[in-house]
Amino acid sequence: QVQLVESGGGLVQAGGSLRLACAASGRSIRNYGMGWFRQAPGKEREFVASISWSGGRLSYSDSVKGRFTISRDNAKNTVYLQMNSLRPEDTAVYYCAADPRNVVKYDYWGQGTQVTVSP
């Protein structure tokens, strides 16, 4: 079993930045694909970004491309999401997830961290 804990959320003004972290425990995630998702009030959860186990393949939703950067530090068993040029529409609960078999199927999820962007 893998436990994922997100941190780094908060309240920021539009145009600001936040860095989210997802710390894994219970098992090494070095061989797992990892992803970030978000869910805004009244909306379905949506994909934000993903990173392959090697870090060599990155993927982003169109809405965050060029503003957000996903990265990983396998020595720390942690995945990050650097969010720049934040917009009010980025307001959501952000979740990280683990894809143990690298088949874009996320079996483990964190509890989420709230990001609120004020106009």
Side-chain angles (χ1 to χ4, degrees), residues 12-117:
V12 64
Q13 287 188 330
S17 298
L18 284 174
R19 188 194 195 203
L20 305 183
C22 172
S25 63
R27 190 171 291 184
S28 171
I29 59 169
R30 65 173 57 250
N31 293 320
Y32 292 8
M34 297 295 294
W36 285 96
F37 294 77
R38 67 187 182 186
Q39 186 167 20
K43 295 188 176 181
E44 293 189 354
R45 185 168 59 195
E46 64 173 356
F47 168 79
V48 175
S50 65
I51 185 167
S52 62
W53 66 272
S54 66
R57 187 170 69 248
L58 309 178
S59 181
Y60 298 94
S61 68
D62 288 343
S63 61
V64 307
K65 199 173 295 182
R67 300 187 298 122
F68 290 11
T69 303
I70 188 171
S71 62
R72 66 190 302 157
D73 184 339
N74 286 337
K76 294 183 178 180
N77 225 29
T78 300
V79 177
Y80 302 96
L81 186 68
Q82 177 67 44
M83 305 187 296
N84 299 329
S85 302
L86 283 161
R87 305 166 180 168
E89 54 264 39
D90 294 318
T91 295
V93 177
Y94 283 71
Y95 299 90
C96 75
D99 171 19
R101 291 163 288 168
N102 292 283
V103 294
V104 198
K105 185 177 184 302
Y106 294 90
D107 293 335
Y108 303 104
W109 293 82
Q111 84 290 345
T113 186
Q114 176 70 47
V115 171
T116 303
V117 185

